[in-house]
Amino acid sequence: MVTLSREDIVRLCERVEGAQTRAYAIPKLTDEYPNMTMADGYAIQTELRRRFIEQGHALIGWKAGLTSRAKMKQMGVDVPSIGFLTDRMARPENSSISVSDLVHPRVECEVAFVTKADLSGPDCTAEQVLAATDYVLPAIEIIDSRFSGFKFDLESVVADNGSSARFVSGGRARYPDELDLRTLGVVLEKNGEIVEMGAAAEVLGHPAEAVAMLVNILHDLGETLPAGSFVMSGGITAAVAVQPGDHINARFQELGSISIRFEQ
Ligand code: OOG
Ligand code: MG
């Protein structure tokens, strides 16, 4: 249930938007509003999406977050969440990504889905997601919590659009029925060293389950997932902090690899 007034939602949205666009850390929102609900968090996120679209950003899809045990453990929360993705967050494969407009970036490896049919809740299933999937491809998400110390609770991180900051996809697109998306392995290398590895089943048993969950949360927000959406299903392993000079290579079984660098 939304408990905040419209004025408070707009004020908190402006606070998050300022921190996102000017890259500074703010205290988590629940420090000021300890009784804030998840619905309040989504109301702030929806206002943020409305403002970005009004400013000319294009909505290109959505992301599921906190869908793997590794991520939930790392962040100390136990419920998945969603956030929106715009064209301004996309970066090309093999590019150098500046950290000067980020607070404390981290990278994570995800399976991304591109849809060819509309999907809607409230009872969307993984089977329906797979039937509506045009292809899957590998992705690196660069998350960047705007909250001090990268510490937050669910209500605050939802308001901060699930820490969304940048994302890179590429590698090799594949039809999902040609793969076993549960046993698909990923290895994350930083500066040539393996720092994380896992299998996509870490994400709710099957990454399509995370997309179904996302569609069902969208239903609660009064939204559907249109054909042609780009959807990231959530980090398979824990996220890894990056600094200028770091080189990241994510190797996905069957889906090729994605490399990026970070610069000041
Ligand atoms: C929240 C975003 C989580 C994922 O893939 O699990 C996320 C965070 O950890 O800051 O993007
Ligand atoms: Mg993610």
Side-chain angles (χ1 to χ4, degrees):
M1 199 183 63
V2 176
T3 66
L4 295 178
S5 67
R6 180 72 194 149
E7 285 80 357
D8 283 340
I9 289 168
V10 169
R11 203 167 57 81
L12 291 173
C13 177
E14 282 171 352
R15 191 185 294 176
V16 169
E17 185 185 11
Q20 289 198 0
T21 52
R22 290 189 288 281
Y24 54 78
I26 54 176
K28 60 184 186 339
L29 305 185
T30 43
D31 288 357
E32 189 182 347
Y33 290 91
N35 299 324
M36 211 180 119
T37 64
M38 277 278 269
D40 290 325
Y42 278 113
I44 296 165
Q45 184 190 118
T46 300
E47 173 64 10
L48 188 67
R49 173 161 48 99
R50 193 193 64 73
R51 293 165 84 102
F52 282 154
I53 289 170
E54 195 178 72
Q55 292 162 29
H57 304 206
L59 181 72
I60 64 162
W62 293 86
K63 61 164 266 186
L66 306 166
T67 48
S68 66
R69 274 170 297 170
K71 283 288 311 182
M72 290 191 206
K73 185 157 169 263
Q74 182 178 32
M75 304 320 302
V77 293
D78 56 3
V79 179
S81 61
I82 70 168
F84 63 88
L85 300 173
T86 72
D87 58 342
R88 309 286 173 96
M89 302 175 187
R91 292 292 179 275
E93 212 177 342
N94 298 314
S95 64
S96 193
I97 294 176
S98 173
V99 299
S100 61
D101 48 1
L102 300 171
V103 186
H104 36 209
R106 295 180 177 177
V107 294
E108 42 191 33
C109 311
E110 312 202 5
V111 177
F113 291 67
V114 174
T115 60
K116 60 180 177 187
D118 298 349
L119 283 166
S120 55
D123 301 312
C124 182
T125 63
E127 289 69 32
Q128 288 169 355
V129 168
L130 289 169
T133 298
D134 196 356
Y135 52 87
V136 294
L137 72 174
I140 295 178
E141 179 172 28
I142 298 102
I143 52 169
D144 188 31
S145 176
R146 268 54 62 158
F147 301 119
S148 308
F150 223 116
K151 291 214 167 57
F152 49 69
D153 40 40
L154 213 43
E155 295 78 11
S156 297
V157 70
V158 163
D160 186 27
N161 194 24
S163 310
S164 301
R166 309 277 180 265
F167 64 87
V168 180
S169 66
R172 200 182 327 143
R174 297 287 303 270
Y175 296 119
D177 56 4
E178 293 176 349
L179 307 168
D180 181 352
L181 279 176
R182 292 167 308 140
T183 58
L184 189 115
V186 63
V187 170
L188 180 61
E189 293 173 345
K190 175 167 142 178
N191 305 325
E193 307 256 333
I194 295 174
V195 285
E196 292 288 341
M197 58 187 135
E202 292 288 347
V203 173
L204 299 182
H206 190 302
E209 293 284 356
V211 181
M213 174 220 72
L214 180 145
V215 170
N216 292 329
I217 294 178
L218 280 179
H219 173 84
D220 296 338
L221 303 181
E223 306 275 351
T224 61
L225 186 72
S229 294
F230 174 81
V231 183
M232 292 196 299
S233 56
I236 295 167
T237 68
V240 172
V242 287
Q243 294 178 345
D246 283 344
H247 175 260
I248 294 291
N249 187 29
R251 297 174 188 271
F252 289 76
Q253 193 183 358
E254 317 270 15
L255 301 176
S257 51
I258 301 182
S259 288
I260 46 174
R261 282 171 293 124
F262 287 88
E263 63 179 25
Q264 192 48 57

mmCIF file of all heavy atoms in Angstrom, residues 63-67 71 107-110 140-143 162-164 232-236 239, ligand 2:
data_model
loop_
_atom_site.group_PDB
_atom_site.id
_atom_site.type_symbol
_atom_site.label_atom_id
_atom_site.label_comp_id
_atom_site.label_asym_id
_atom_site.label_seq_id
_atom_site.Cartn_x
_atom_site.Cartn_y
_atom_site.Cartn_z
ATOM 1 N N LYS A 63 14.645 -4.622 -15.703
ATOM 2 C CA LYS A 63 15.594 -5.548 -15.078
ATOM 3 C C LYS A 63 14.995 -6.140 -13.812
ATOM 4 O O LYS A 63 14.328 -5.433 -13.054
ATOM 5 C CB LYS A 63 16.886 -4.832 -14.718
ATOM 6 C CG LYS A 63 16.664 -3.701 -13.737
ATOM 7 C CD LYS A 63 17.938 -3.260 -13.114
ATOM 8 C CE LYS A 63 18.236 -3.926 -11.795
ATOM 9 N NZ LYS A 63 19.422 -3.352 -11.167
ATOM 10 N N ALA A 64 15.266 -7.402 -13.620
ATOM 11 C CA ALA A 64 14.951 -8.031 -12.344
ATOM 12 C C ALA A 64 16.204 -7.915 -11.490
ATOM 13 O O ALA A 64 17.330 -7.986 -12.003
ATOM 14 C CB ALA A 64 14.577 -9.492 -12.552
ATOM 15 N N GLY A 65 16.047 -7.719 -10.202
ATOM 16 C CA GLY A 65 17.208 -7.605 -9.314
ATOM 17 C C GLY A 65 17.018 -8.442 -8.073
ATOM 18 O O GLY A 65 15.887 -8.766 -7.690
ATOM 19 N N LEU A 66 18.141 -8.807 -7.463
ATOM 20 C CA LEU A 66 18.134 -9.576 -6.226
ATOM 21 C C LEU A 66 17.409 -10.903 -6.432
ATOM 22 O O LEU A 66 16.634 -11.349 -5.597
ATOM 23 C CB LEU A 66 17.505 -8.732 -5.106
ATOM 24 C CG LEU A 66 18.194 -7.357 -4.955
ATOM 25 C CD1 LEU A 66 17.371 -6.413 -4.113
ATOM 26 C CD2 LEU A 66 19.599 -7.518 -4.381
ATOM 27 N N THR A 67 17.687 -11.527 -7.580
ATOM 28 C CA THR A 67 17.026 -12.786 -7.938
ATOM 29 C C THR A 67 17.899 -14.001 -7.655
ATOM 30 O O THR A 67 17.435 -15.126 -7.812
ATOM 31 C CB THR A 67 16.621 -12.776 -9.431
ATOM 32 O OG1 THR A 67 17.729 -12.346 -10.215
ATOM 33 C CG2 THR A 67 15.460 -11.839 -9.676
ATOM 34 N N LYS A 71 23.287 -12.674 -4.733
ATOM 35 C CA LYS A 71 22.963 -11.248 -4.642
ATOM 36 C C LYS A 71 22.199 -10.938 -3.361
ATOM 37 O O LYS A 71 22.457 -9.946 -2.684
ATOM 38 C CB LYS A 71 22.123 -10.838 -5.856
ATOM 39 C CG LYS A 71 22.910 -10.668 -7.136
ATOM 40 C CD LYS A 71 23.775 -9.416 -7.138
ATOM 41 C CE LYS A 71 22.995 -8.188 -6.719
ATOM 42 N NZ LYS A 71 23.828 -6.972 -6.765
ATOM 43 N N VAL A 107 29.960 -4.517 -11.045
ATOM 44 C CA VAL A 107 29.493 -5.227 -12.245
ATOM 45 C C VAL A 107 28.923 -6.590 -11.873
ATOM 46 O O VAL A 107 29.333 -7.217 -10.901
ATOM 47 C CB VAL A 107 30.626 -5.425 -13.288
ATOM 48 C CG1 VAL A 107 31.074 -4.097 -13.850
ATOM 49 C CG2 VAL A 107 31.812 -6.180 -12.693
ATOM 50 N N GLU A 108 27.967 -7.030 -12.695
ATOM 51 C CA GLU A 108 27.397 -8.367 -12.518
ATOM 52 C C GLU A 108 27.024 -8.955 -13.879
ATOM 53 O O GLU A 108 26.756 -8.226 -14.818
ATOM 54 C CB GLU A 108 26.200 -8.337 -11.559
ATOM 55 C CG GLU A 108 25.269 -7.180 -11.744
ATOM 56 C CD GLU A 108 24.258 -7.040 -10.616
ATOM 57 O OE1 GLU A 108 24.563 -7.366 -9.462
ATOM 58 O OE2 GLU A 108 23.139 -6.602 -10.908
ATOM 59 N N CYS A 109 27.037 -10.296 -13.962
ATOM 60 C CA CYS A 109 26.747 -11.005 -15.217
ATOM 61 C C CYS A 109 25.306 -11.473 -15.206
ATOM 62 O O CYS A 109 24.867 -12.078 -14.219
ATOM 63 C CB CYS A 109 27.587 -12.266 -15.340
ATOM 64 S SG CYS A 109 29.293 -12.042 -15.031
ATOM 65 N N GLU A 110 24.610 -11.243 -16.294
ATOM 66 C CA GLU A 110 23.190 -11.601 -16.343
ATOM 67 C C GLU A 110 22.828 -12.177 -17.709
ATOM 68 O O GLU A 110 23.441 -11.844 -18.714
ATOM 69 C CB GLU A 110 22.331 -10.354 -16.102
ATOM 70 C CG GLU A 110 22.811 -9.553 -14.888
ATOM 71 C CD GLU A 110 21.764 -8.660 -14.279
ATOM 72 O OE1 GLU A 110 20.602 -8.708 -14.722
ATOM 73 O OE2 GLU A 110 22.140 -7.915 -13.355
ATOM 74 N N ILE A 140 26.310 -7.555 -19.174
ATOM 75 C CA ILE A 140 26.953 -7.099 -17.939
ATOM 76 C C ILE A 140 26.133 -5.915 -17.458
ATOM 77 O O ILE A 140 25.885 -4.982 -18.229
ATOM 78 C CB ILE A 140 28.410 -6.641 -18.168
ATOM 79 C CG1 ILE A 140 29.290 -7.808 -18.603
ATOM 80 C CG2 ILE A 140 28.970 -6.003 -16.896
ATOM 81 C CD1 ILE A 140 30.751 -7.399 -18.894
ATOM 82 N N GLU A 141 25.679 -5.962 -16.219
ATOM 83 C CA GLU A 141 25.045 -4.774 -15.666
ATOM 84 C C GLU A 141 26.048 -4.059 -14.773
ATOM 85 O O GLU A 141 26.762 -4.692 -13.989
ATOM 86 C CB GLU A 141 23.784 -5.124 -14.853
ATOM 87 C CG GLU A 141 23.199 -3.822 -14.293
ATOM 88 C CD GLU A 141 21.857 -3.923 -13.617
ATOM 89 O OE1 GLU A 141 21.525 -4.992 -13.081
ATOM 90 O OE2 GLU A 141 21.156 -2.887 -13.609
ATOM 91 N N ILE A 142 26.102 -2.732 -14.900
ATOM 92 C CA ILE A 142 26.902 -1.912 -13.997
ATOM 93 C C ILE A 142 25.896 -1.267 -13.048
ATOM 94 O O ILE A 142 25.126 -0.385 -13.453
ATOM 95 C CB ILE A 142 27.728 -0.845 -14.756
ATOM 96 C CG1 ILE A 142 28.714 -1.524 -15.710
ATOM 97 C CG2 ILE A 142 28.489 0.041 -13.771
ATOM 98 C CD1 ILE A 142 28.320 -1.544 -17.142
ATOM 99 N N ILE A 143 25.851 -1.769 -11.819
ATOM 100 C CA ILE A 143 24.936 -1.194 -10.840
ATOM 101 C C ILE A 143 25.684 -0.150 -10.029
ATOM 102 O O ILE A 143 26.914 -0.176 -9.922
ATOM 103 C CB ILE A 143 24.331 -2.267 -9.896
ATOM 104 C CG1 ILE A 143 25.422 -3.138 -9.270
ATOM 105 C CG2 ILE A 143 23.290 -3.101 -10.620
ATOM 106 C CD1 ILE A 143 24.915 -4.033 -8.138
ATOM 107 N N GLY A 162 16.427 0.137 -8.436
ATOM 108 C CA GLY A 162 17.211 -1.101 -8.362
ATOM 109 C C GLY A 162 18.685 -0.886 -8.660
ATOM 110 O O GLY A 162 19.340 -1.768 -9.222
ATOM 111 N N SER A 163 19.213 0.281 -8.273
ATOM 112 C CA SER A 163 20.630 0.611 -8.486
ATOM 113 C C SER A 163 21.032 0.635 -9.961
ATOM 114 O O SER A 163 22.219 0.625 -10.291
ATOM 115 C CB SER A 163 21.568 -0.359 -7.747
ATOM 116 O OG SER A 163 21.224 -0.513 -6.399
ATOM 117 N N SER A 164 20.067 0.668 -10.870
ATOM 118 C CA SER A 164 20.402 0.665 -12.308
ATOM 119 C C SER A 164 21.272 1.857 -12.660
ATOM 120 O O SER A 164 21.011 2.976 -12.226
ATOM 121 C CB SER A 164 19.122 0.755 -13.154
ATOM 122 O OG SER A 164 18.280 -0.327 -12.878
ATOM 123 N N MET A 232 16.711 -7.849 -18.385
ATOM 124 C CA MET A 232 17.821 -8.524 -17.704
ATOM 125 C C MET A 232 17.262 -9.270 -16.501
ATOM 126 O O MET A 232 16.440 -8.736 -15.751
ATOM 127 C CB MET A 232 18.872 -7.504 -17.281
ATOM 128 C CG MET A 232 19.570 -6.904 -18.495
ATOM 129 S SD MET A 232 21.092 -6.058 -18.082
ATOM 130 C CE MET A 232 20.474 -4.816 -17.012
ATOM 131 N N SER A 233 17.720 -10.504 -16.324
ATOM 132 C CA SER A 233 17.076 -11.395 -15.349
ATOM 133 C C SER A 233 17.728 -11.384 -13.968
ATOM 134 O O SER A 233 17.232 -12.045 -13.067
ATOM 135 C CB SER A 233 17.011 -12.810 -15.917
ATOM 136 O OG SER A 233 18.284 -13.269 -16.283
ATOM 137 N N GLY A 234 18.826 -10.633 -13.798
ATOM 138 C CA GLY A 234 19.426 -10.511 -12.465
ATOM 139 C C GLY A 234 20.804 -11.154 -12.391
ATOM 140 O O GLY A 234 21.087 -12.149 -13.060
ATOM 141 N N GLY A 235 21.639 -10.589 -11.556
ATOM 142 C CA GLY A 235 23.013 -11.064 -11.413
ATOM 143 C C GLY A 235 23.050 -12.516 -10.946
ATOM 144 O O GLY A 235 22.345 -12.884 -10.008
ATOM 145 N N ILE A 236 23.878 -13.308 -11.601
ATOM 146 C CA ILE A 236 23.995 -14.734 -11.263
ATOM 147 C C ILE A 236 24.896 -14.902 -10.038
ATOM 148 O O ILE A 236 24.633 -15.723 -9.167
ATOM 149 C CB ILE A 236 24.554 -15.503 -12.486
ATOM 150 C CG1 ILE A 236 23.548 -15.434 -13.647
ATOM 151 C CG2 ILE A 236 24.887 -16.954 -12.124
ATOM 152 C CD1 ILE A 236 24.097 -15.872 -14.994
ATOM 153 N N ALA A 239 28.008 -9.163 -7.019
ATOM 154 C CA ALA A 239 28.529 -8.073 -7.847
ATOM 155 C C ALA A 239 29.956 -7.742 -7.410
ATOM 156 O O ALA A 239 30.323 -7.942 -6.250
ATOM 157 C CB ALA A 239 27.627 -6.855 -7.721
HETATM 158 MG MG MG B 2 21.491 -6.638 -11.988
#
